Amino acid sequence: PISALAMTNAGIRDWFAQHWREETGHVINVDQLGMIDQLTQEIGAGDTCNGVTVTVDSVTRGESILWMLLEIDGLEITPEEASGSFFADMGMSITPQPESMESFGYDFEEAGFRENGALMVLLRYLPLLTEEDTLLDACNVELRLGSFTLGERTVVEGTWNISFSLEKADLPESLTL
């Protein structure tokens, strides 16, 4: 279902705050938002195919996970139709690639609509890494998304190729109470 971010200009920080509230029933702590801000980088890179533009709005990183907020503009769909929307194919290359990264998993989650009608989708990328490897180092990313679908129906055929760079990110220091 479309979250409370529907019809706003919300970003990835707002998605995390909303998700936290939905999962815990509590408002996210300001310190937690600060950590999200520290691990988030605005991107703004995109590609257009068959009249549909896909833009990587921002990326939030953990040691072994990437959350990418995608903005998809040019689709003629309603919030009800957006449920179950995703790309038929996804590939990503990271350079330099963490040594242990041989396979990955991913999923998509609807994140609402912007006021301009663009669909927001969260892409969660989960590579299998050993403890020695991390996704926090500076790197270049090439994201490839194939054919936008709604359930079993292909809405827009094509391929979107989006390249961007991520700066080195440092995890905030842990506090011991």
Side-chain angles (χ1 to χ4, degrees):
I2 299 297
S3 72
L5 295 182
M7 302 309 290
T8 71
N9 284 320
I12 201 163
R13 179 184 206 249
D14 301 297
W15 179 87
F16 278 107
Q18 176 65 28
H19 191 71
W20 181 268
R21 188 171 25 257
E22 289 171 359
E23 291 295 317
T24 67
H26 301 285
V27 175
I28 195 167
N29 182 293
V30 163
D31 293 334
Q32 292 166 313
L33 287 174
M35 182 181 77
I36 291 166
D37 290 344
Q38 188 173 343
L39 296 172
T40 299
Q41 183 178 329
E42 300 297 318
I43 303 297
D47 189 21
T48 301
C49 180
N50 294 324
V52 174
T53 300
V54 178
T55 303
V56 177
D57 177 84
S58 53
V59 176
T60 302
R61 299 189 272 178
E63 290 180 322
S64 60
I65 189 169
L66 297 176
W67 290 274
M68 289 178 241
L69 186 61
L70 306 177
E71 179 177 306
I72 305 162
D73 198 15
L75 294 173
E76 298 290 329
I77 62 172
T78 65
E80 294 77 26
E81 292 174 310
S83 182
S85 62
F86 61 99
F87 292 90
D89 186 34
M90 195 285 287
M92 186 179 319
S93 66
I94 298 175
T95 308
Q97 177 175 312
E99 253 182 69
S100 65
M101 191 171 90
E102 293 181 17
S103 62
F104 63 90
Y106 67 93
D107 61 15
F108 295 99
E109 179 178 328
E110 295 88 5
F113 282 80
R114 291 250 163 107
E115 289 175 351
N116 66 1
L119 173 65
M120 303 304 293
V121 173
L122 189 78
L123 166 57
R124 186 171 52 172
Y125 176 75
L126 303 138
L128 296 176
L129 300 174
T130 62
E131 287 185 21
E132 294 82 38
D133 282 327
T134 180
L135 294 175
L136 297 174
D137 294 329
C139 62
N140 294 313
V141 178
E142 292 191 25
L143 173 64
R144 184 186 47 76
L145 300 166
S147 295
F148 185 81
T149 62
L150 293 175
E152 299 293 320
R153 180 173 62 96
T154 299
V155 177
V156 180
E157 288 196 35
T159 303
W160 292 264
N161 295 296
I162 306 169
S163 299
F164 56 94
S165 297
L166 293 173
E167 300 165 357
K168 181 175 178 16
D170 294 313
L171 287 176
E173 293 204 20
S174 299
L175 297 176
T176 303
L177 300 177

